[in-house]
Amino acid sequence: QVQLVESGGGLVQAGGSLRLSCAASGRTFSSYTMGWFRQAPGKEREFVARINWSGGRTDYADSVKGRFTISRDNAKNTVYLQMNGLKPEDTAVYYCAAPSVGGTYSSLASRYEYWGQGTQVTVSS
């Protein structure tokens, strides 16, 4: 069974930085895309960033492009989300996710079968 555990959330002032981590277990981590999504109160879950199995390909939502960086360390079975220049509108619960099908590289939440419990990020103005 795949398990994903996020950490690193917290309260930060606008303009600040946080780094989220997601530790994976239960299968060969290095074979799969990983994604980060977020959900703000009263809103649908939305795509933030994705990274392919090797780390050689990444994509971002327009709202975070240039401020967030996704990376992975396959030796540690961990994916990261470095968030700089945080804005109050970045406030949300952040989730890491993994697909069950190898080769999946999608920004759609429906294509990801495994999810972490989420970590709260709050940005004050």
Side-chain angles (χ1 to χ4, degrees):
Q1 183 69 16
V2 175
Q3 290 189 323
L4 304 174
V5 180
E6 301 99 336
S7 61
L11 173 64
V12 64
Q13 289 188 333
S17 298
L18 284 174
R19 188 176 83 153
L20 306 184
S21 300
C22 172
S25 62
R27 69 177 184 187
T28 305
F29 175 77
S30 60
S31 298
Y32 295 86
T33 291
M34 294 295 295
W36 284 99
F37 292 79
R38 67 187 182 186
Q39 188 166 18
K43 295 188 177 181
E44 293 187 353
R45 192 168 297 189
E46 65 174 1
F47 166 74
V48 175
R50 59 185 175 183
I51 187 167
N52 77 333
W53 67 273
S54 69
R57 182 180 178 186
T58 59
D59 290 284
Y60 300 89
D62 287 344
S63 59
V64 307
K65 202 170 294 183
R67 300 187 297 122
F68 291 11
T69 302
I70 188 172
S71 62
R72 66 191 298 162
D73 185 338
N74 286 341
K76 295 183 178 179
N77 290 354
T78 301
V79 62
Y80 305 97
L81 186 68
Q82 177 67 43
M83 305 186 294
N84 298 329
L86 283 161
K87 304 176 181 179
E89 52 263 44
D90 294 318
T91 295
V93 177
Y94 283 71
Y95 299 89
C96 69
S100 63
V101 178
T104 297
Y105 187 73
S106 177
S107 61
L108 298 176
S110 60
R111 298 296 300 276
Y112 292 78
E113 287 73 30
Y114 302 108
W115 294 82
Q117 82 287 354
T119 186
Q120 176 70 47
V121 171
T122 303
V123 184
S124 63
S125 57

